[in-house]
């Protein structure tokens, strides 16, 4: 087993790719392809559990490091590492993988092996993005995500799939190009593509500002931050269910992850300059997304716009630059992955039966499908942040952190405005629920619809379990990310950490020694590398 | 922290109903109705028994030490943001626990009969148990966030139970309205918590939970500068949950739920949560005279406002609903003038007689084949003897007739308002008390006296309810009769035991005020008891309010019992418009609809979605750019050639070649 555990990150990352290559070339029979894909995804999840149980959260640094010189005399290297933030998002990815594959069992009938291959390919790209510690490697993974998603939407999507796929591709591409320019600029400054070397570069204020802008544009499109969000509803509506689940569950978090991992620690001056703008856009996104969600006639589009609103909370939390706000943001990424992932799966369930998602086509579904209605209700409640479910903890910490932010101008006003999202969320979700599930079963076409099948239960129950679990025991995640957040964002948050830290319990081992604001990361990390 | 054996009982008071809910919810129809009902009643019964045990233990402790706590684990722990999953018991929530589980138990038993023929029997009991779980979390929560968990939890149960008969979309709409209006209140509650947290954070010592009530009380001095803002935000939450102006609009609609739900959630327990929360945070409220004034004024205004609407309603449950809103106003009034203990006293007595009245109305509705309109009732006195006699007791208690429970608590509220120098508020409360007696007599006459006006078919079915329903009525009638005697005031020769019991909880608040403002203000604020006063005034006011109540009843009798057509007379007497105004509940719903709901919908649909999203961003900025048009065009052409497989392959090959190249070139 050493041969696996010594290169665990490589295994977790590339096992799905291996699976996809096998499916594309060897296992081309539909049923076998499905079983292989499911098996590979499950195996990958099990492997990622090794990371979960062997990661040492107290240190908060990158662990399981793999580093092999690659190009240009090692200036570019195959460098993987994983800290708490990467850990929780990677496990979310591997957790959703098998569920997504299981959900396509009956929904996808065309070119099944091609489809499953793309799903697994996408898993690799996403996991690699979370683990990459070399900027070129990161960029390769980042761009690689586009390709399978482009095909998943463009081939297996709805009627306007081509438009949606191209729109998705171009939006993301435009952002990425600017980021690439930024990466190249930093490479020539640092003399290496390693993230640690990038962090060590001392930049003047001017370059920091435009570099931050270049990076944040790429990430903001991915999130998406208002007003760059219009690709998202189209992509969601046209994407097949599996595509929507991955998109909402993980892909969107690439944007917010990129902010935490790269844009914020690399350019503290940029953060200081742009945080007010970002937080305002985040708040606009929260309210705007909710109001537009409210008037959607299509359930899936409604959920898509609700993502704009929820991700607005995440961005707000990150730019509050408080430990609670940032941790709430990371937590909300997971909570949103669970609740919105579940909602898209649920919308897919009824779409498979009725081939429509128009709210007006439904009404009184709870009579025909009581179990479905119950699970949908739980996902709805998780989405609107009911205490006891995962969504509440994230929202609470984000708003609490933002309210107490000392760096953000008008922090309290922004919190008040953002908190209206809590009310609006209840309005659009419960109104939709009422129109779809309650009242009389008015439409003849909905008579005799079957309730959840066993397979659909198996897909949904794990999500429901974790909605409750994270809601009641958020420590499961918070303990994993606490030290990593303080360590990663030490360049932008140092004063806050320094002023009040009477409880030594969570003080960092050696990383953030509470130095001045723009302190360069300690070289300790490089010492970890073999 | 080590927990004593009795302290661990606290978590079981909360958890046992959750287990009951889980059993009923998961097994649902697989469970025979008898087993389902037994489980649900048993679960609440156990909670009630445990509540008695911890109550007795608390009573056995020295007055100053009356506090039990049970810390289960850390809930949210991140840096300095530490919130425990913990329960605590002190004299205040010990009373609440007894009322909630006790009345809750009776209503569970009643539901056995009331819901016996309902297809959703098991689901109903699952929700009902879940409600007790949430309500007990609210009551026993050791910190403000736990209280909030229960607060949202009861809101959810309320939503589920109002829309219980969801086949009728009006019920579903009423449930949704309740949840959303409460969420508006919760918005204030959340912000209040943030303000508390941020203000108190720098002052916390090691190991002190951020939102723990004890910790907050200890640091009340640090919170003083922000007290007004905090209290007003929290009070916004209370106006939602406890149906005060301006957020009361959900409660009358909530009557769409089954009647036991109206009794348990929308009369006896959940709606008093706002009062409980204000009383719980008394140490902060007393620091802000401005916030206290707002509480008192809103309470008094709600009391009279809702009472006038109750005068004209024809649906028996709607009358009781507006009556509840009005009585909740009294409780808020008590809190606002600093008489927290009296407010809680009224919470308790009101729980007895209002639960009784709702269950009685349920018995009437049951007998009348689900008819709720009083205009087609009448003459039920003879046919429903138990319901009639118990209903009479409830009516007299609510009207504040000596020596029933409502007399002592309501009179005490009015006295505290008067003696704290708020004569105007006293006068408002006094007038509303007369209206209360009047509309209750109207209800009594229309329902129980005269000729029955129902169709022959309905008439034929009228029958007294089964024992499971009448027994709780009798028990609640007894409680409505004697329940006030634990609080007979000193001037009548009583011991005011109820206030004494709560004294340790609210004394702390007085100390805080003394520390913050000096002793003079404290005497003015709340500690009226400490001042020896002439009892003549108390006698006069008590006599006046009793006489006033009797007069209200008498007038009601004269107007409605003498000739039922007088309702028309009253309409003409009051003039067309004022009567219509009351009948339409002052058009508040319509006003909200016109000012917020419809414009909000139109703004979202037309301006935000159609203009900004589709028009501006997509239409002009995105699709308008020539690049997009060109690329889309060419890609579409490629796809139409059916070469998708080819692309999939070329990507695979391309990536593989690329990876191999990179591996070997390095």
């Amino acid at each position: 087993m050493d041969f696996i555990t010594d290169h665990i990150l490589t295994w977790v990352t590339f096992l799905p790719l291996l699976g996809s290559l096998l499916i594309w070339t060897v296992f081309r029979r539909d049923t076998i392809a499905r079983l292989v894909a499911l098996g590979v995804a499950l195996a990958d999840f099990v492997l990622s559990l090794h990371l979960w149980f062997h990661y040492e959260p107290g240190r908060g640094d990158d662990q399981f490091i793999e580093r092999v010189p690659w190009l240009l005399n090692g200036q570019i290297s195959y460098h993987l590492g994983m800290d708490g933030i990467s850990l929780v998002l990677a496990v979310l990815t591997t957790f959703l993988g098998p569920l997504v594959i299981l959900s396509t069992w009956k929904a996808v009938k065309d070119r099944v092996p091609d489809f499953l291959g793309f799903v697994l390919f996408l898993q690799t790209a996403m996991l690699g993005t979370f683990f990459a510690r070399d900027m070129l490697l990161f960029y390769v993974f980042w761009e690689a995500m586009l390709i399978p998603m482009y095909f998943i939407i463009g081939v297996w999507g709805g009627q306007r799939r081509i438009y949606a796929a191209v729109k998705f591709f171009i939006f993301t591409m435009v952002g990425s190009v600017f980021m690439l320019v930024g990466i190249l600029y930093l490479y020539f400054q640092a003399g290496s593509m390693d993230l640690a070397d990038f962090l060590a570069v001392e930049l003047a204020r001017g370059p920091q500002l435009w570099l931050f802008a270049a990076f944040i544009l790429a990430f903001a499109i991915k999130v998406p931050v208002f007003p760059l969000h219009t690709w998202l509803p189209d992509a969601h509506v046209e994407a097949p269910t599996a595509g929507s689940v991955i998109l909402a569950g993980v892909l969107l978090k690439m944007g917010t992850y990129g902010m935490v991992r790269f844009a914020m620690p690399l350019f503290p001056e940029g953060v200081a300059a742009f945080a007010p703008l970002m937080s305002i856009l985040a708040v606009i996104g929260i309210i705007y997304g909710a109001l537009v969600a409210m008037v959607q006639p299509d359930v899936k589009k409604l959920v898509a716009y609700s993502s704009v609103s929820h991700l607005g909370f995440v961005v707000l939390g990150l730019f509050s630059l408080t430990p609670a706000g940032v941790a709430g943001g990371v937590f909300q990424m997971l909570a949103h992955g669970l609740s919105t992932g579940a909602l898209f799966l649920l919308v897919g369930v009824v779409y498979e039966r009725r081939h429509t998602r128009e709210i007006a086509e439904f009404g009184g579904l709870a009579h025909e499908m009581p179990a479905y209605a119950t699970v949908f209700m739980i996902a709805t409640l998780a989405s609107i942040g009911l205490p006891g479910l995962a969504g509440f903890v994230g929202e609470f910490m984000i708003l609490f952190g933002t309210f107490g932010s000392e760096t953000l101008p008008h922090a309290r006003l922004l919190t008040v405005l953002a908190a209206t999202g809590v009310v609006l969320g209840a309005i659009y979700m419960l109104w939709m629920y009422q129109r779809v599930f309650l009242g009389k079963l008015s439409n003849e076409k909905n008579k005799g619809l079957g309730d959840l099948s066993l397979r659909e239960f198996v897909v949904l129950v794990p999500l429901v379990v974790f909605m409750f679990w994270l809601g009641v025991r958020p420590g499961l995640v918070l303990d994993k990310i606490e030290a990593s957040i303080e360590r990663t964002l030490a360049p932008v948050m140092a004063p806050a950490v320094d002023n009040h830290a009477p409880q030594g319990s969570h003080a960092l081992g050696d990383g953030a020694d509470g130095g001045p604001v723009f302190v360069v990361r300690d070289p300790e990390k490089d010492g970890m590398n073999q | 922290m080590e927990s004593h054996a009795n302290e661990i009982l606290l978590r079981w008071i909360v958890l046992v109903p959750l287990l009951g809910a889980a059993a009923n919810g998961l097994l649902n129809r697989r469970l025979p109705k008898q087993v389902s009902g037994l489980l649900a009643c048993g679960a609440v019964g156990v909670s009630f028994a445990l509540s008695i045990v911890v109550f007795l233990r608390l009573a056995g402790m020295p007055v100053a030490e009356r506090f039990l706590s049970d810390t289960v684990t850390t809930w949210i722990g991140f840096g300095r943001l530490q919130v425990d999953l913990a329960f605590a018991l002190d004299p205040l929530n010990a009373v609440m626990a007894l009322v909630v589980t006790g009345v809750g138990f009776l209503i569970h038993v009643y539901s056995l009969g009331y819901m016996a023929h309902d297809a959703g029997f098991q689901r109903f009991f699952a929700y009902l148990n879940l409600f007790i779980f949430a309500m007990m979390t609210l009551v026993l929560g050791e910190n403000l966030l736990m209280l909030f968990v229960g607060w949202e939890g009861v809101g959810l149960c309320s939503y589920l139970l109002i829309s219980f008969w969801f086949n009728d979309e009006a019920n579903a709409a009423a449930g949704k309205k309740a949840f959303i209006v409460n969420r508006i209140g919760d918005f204030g509650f959340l912000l209040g918590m943030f303000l508390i947290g941020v203000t108190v954070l720098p002052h916390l010592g090691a190991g002190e939970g951020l939102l723990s009530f004890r910790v907050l009380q200890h640091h009340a001095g640090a919170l003083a500068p922000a007290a007004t803002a905090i209290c007003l935000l929290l009070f916004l939450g209370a106006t939602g949950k406890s149906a005060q102006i301006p957020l009361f609009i959900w409660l009358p609609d909530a009557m769409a739920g089954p009647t036991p739900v109206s009794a348990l959630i929308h009369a006896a327990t959940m709606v008093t949560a706002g009062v409980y929360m204000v009383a719980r945070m008394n140490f902060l409220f007393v620091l802000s005279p401005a916030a206290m004034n707002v509480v008192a004024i809103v309470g008094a205004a709600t009391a009279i406002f809702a009472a006038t609407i109750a005068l004209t309603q024809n649906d028996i449950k709607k009358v009781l609903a507006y009556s509840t809103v009005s009585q909740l106003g009294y409780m808020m009034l008590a809190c606002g003038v600093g008489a927290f203990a009296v407010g809680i006293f009224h919470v308790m007595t009101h729980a007895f007689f209002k639960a009784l009245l709702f269950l009685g109305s349920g018995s009437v509705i049951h007998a009348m084949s689900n008819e709720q309109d009083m205009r087609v009732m009448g003459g039920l006195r003879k046919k429903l003897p138990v319901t009639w006699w118990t209903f009479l007791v409830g009516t007299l208690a609510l009207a504040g007739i000596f020596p029933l429970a409502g007399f002592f608590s309501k009179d005490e509220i009015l006295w505290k308002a008067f003696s704290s120098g708020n004569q105007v508020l006293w006068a408002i409360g006094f007038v509303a008390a007369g209206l209360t007696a009047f509309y209750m007599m109207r209800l009594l006459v229309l329902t129980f006296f005269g000729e029955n006006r129902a169709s022959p078919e309905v008439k034929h079915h009228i029958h007294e309810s089964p024992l499971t329903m009448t027994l709780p009525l009798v028990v609640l009638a007894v409680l409505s009769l004697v329940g006030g005697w634990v609080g007979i005031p000193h001037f009548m020769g009583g011991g005011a035991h109820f206030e004494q019991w709560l004294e340790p909880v609210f004394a702390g608040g007085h100390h805080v005020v003394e520390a913050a403002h000096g002793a003079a203000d404290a005497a003015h604020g709340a500690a009226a008891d400490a001042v020896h006063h002439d009892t003549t005034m108390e006698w006069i006011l008590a006599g006046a309010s009793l006489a006033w109540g009797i007069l209200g009843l008498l007038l009601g009798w004269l107007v409605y019992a003498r000739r039922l057509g007088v309702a028309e007379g009253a309409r003409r007497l009051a003039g067309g418009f004022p009567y219509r105004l009351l009948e339409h509940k002052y058009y508040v719903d319509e006003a909200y609809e016109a000012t917020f709901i419809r414009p909000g919908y139109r703004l979202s649909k037309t301006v935000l979605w159609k203009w900004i999203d589709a028009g501006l961003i997509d239409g002009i900025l995105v699709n308008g750019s020539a690049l997009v048009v060109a690329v889309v065009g060419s890609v579409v052409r490629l796809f139409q050639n059916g070469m998708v497989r080819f692309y999939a392959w070329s990507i695979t090959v391309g990536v593989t070649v690329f990876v191999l190249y990179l591996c070997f070139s390095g």
Side-chain angles (χ1 to χ4, degrees), chain A residues 381-459:
Chain A
L381 295 172
S383 168
I384 65 180
L386 195 85
L389 292 160
F392 175 71
V393 179
E395 272 179 15
F396 180 81
M397 291 181 72
I398 288 166
L399 292 173
F400 184 80
T402 309
F403 195 84
S405 172
E406 285 162 15
T407 51
L408 216 53
H410 311 299
R412 294 188 174 188
L413 177 64
L414 288 171
T415 313
V416 172
L417 293 173
T420 59
V422 173
V423 180
L424 296 172
I427 293 177
Y428 66 75
M429 287 307 288
L430 291 184
W431 191 36
M432 179 267 284
Y433 192 86
Q434 177 192 332
R435 286 175 295 164
V436 172
F437 290 96
L438 307 181
K440 289 184 182 57
L441 190 70
S442 44
N443 191 336
E444 283 293 325
K445 291 179 196 154
N446 296 328
K447 293 224 165 101
L449 289 187
D451 208 340
L452 291 178
S453 69
L454 181 65
R455 177 182 57 84
E456 288 161 340
F457 252 116
V458 171
V459 171

Side-chain angles (χ1 to χ4, degrees), chain B residues 334-500:
Chain B
C335 292
V337 299
F340 299 102
V342 183
I344 295 298
F345 187 26
H346 200 56
V347 166
M348 183 182 81
T349 59
H350 178 259
F352 297 150
F353 59 71
K354 193 51 76 58
L356 169 62
L357 289 170
F358 265 112
L359 294 185
S361 79
S363 181
V364 167
I365 294 165
H366 198 67
M368 293 287 298
S369 310
N370 294 327
E371 181 56 71
Q372 297 188 194
D373 192 333
M374 297 187 296
R375 284 171 297 189
V376 296
M377 293 182 181
L380 295 175
R381 199 162 28 119
K382 294 274 160 54
K383 286 179 175 158
L384 310 175
V386 182
T387 306
W388 150 247
W389 282 109
T390 52
F391 205 94
L392 180 67
V393 172
T395 302
L396 295 178
L398 172 55
I401 303 303
F402 181 87
L404 285 87
F407 169 80
F408 294 102
S409 52
K410 187 191 286 186
D411 189 59
E412 195 67 7
I413 290 174
L414 291 176
W415 166 246
K416 293 291 184 186
F418 188 87
S419 63
S420 63
N422 295 295
Q423 275 84 2
V424 177
L425 296 181
W426 168 83
I428 293 172
F430 185 77
V431 172
L435 296 177
T436 307
F438 183 85
Y439 67 66
M440 281 313 293
M441 182 51 88
R442 171 177 177 269
L443 185 154
L444 209 61
V445 170
L446 288 178
T447 310
F448 291 100
F449 287 87
E451 284 298 305
N452 191 281
R453 301 175 289 280
S455 66
E457 202 189 334
V458 172
K459 230 184 243 181
H460 179 70
H461 284 295
I462 296 176
H463 58 280
E464 180 59 285
S465 301
L467 188 68
T468 48
M469 289 169 67
T470 49
L471 200 64
L473 290 179
V474 173
V475 176
L476 284 169
V478 172
L479 287 170
S480 302
L481 191 63
V482 305
W485 299 353
V486 294
I488 298 175
H490 290 296
F491 80 97
M492 288 185 180
H497 297 296
F498 194 85
E499 278 182 69
Q500 249 170 30

Side-chain angles (χ1 to χ4, degrees), chain A residues 121-203:
Chain A
F121 185 126
L122 188 54
Q123 288 284 101
T124 290
M126 293 188 296
L127 290 165
T129 309
F130 289 133
F131 296 145
R133 294 298 182 266
D134 178 277
M135 293 307 284
L136 185 73
L137 191 64
F138 161 74
Y139 191 76
V140 169
F141 282 124
W142 173 269
E143 289 292 303
M145 289 189 298
L146 276 183
I147 302 157
M149 191 42 110
Y150 173 76
F151 281 106
I152 287 175
I153 298 175
V155 178
W156 288 272
Q159 294 205 323
R160 294 173 70 233
R161 56 183 182 269
I162 308 288
Y163 171 76
V166 172
K167 196 170 176 185
F168 162 76
F169 198 92
I170 290 176
F171 260 81
T172 322
M173 210 50 199
V174 167
S176 305
V177 168
F178 287 100
M179 182 167 68
L180 182 62
V181 174
I183 290 176
L184 289 174
Y185 177 88
L186 278 167
Y187 165 69
F188 290 117
Q189 301 286 313
S192 135
M193 275 286 186
D194 205 82
L195 177 59
D197 294 329
F198 272 34
L199 285 163
V201 173
E202 288 195 51
L203 290 165

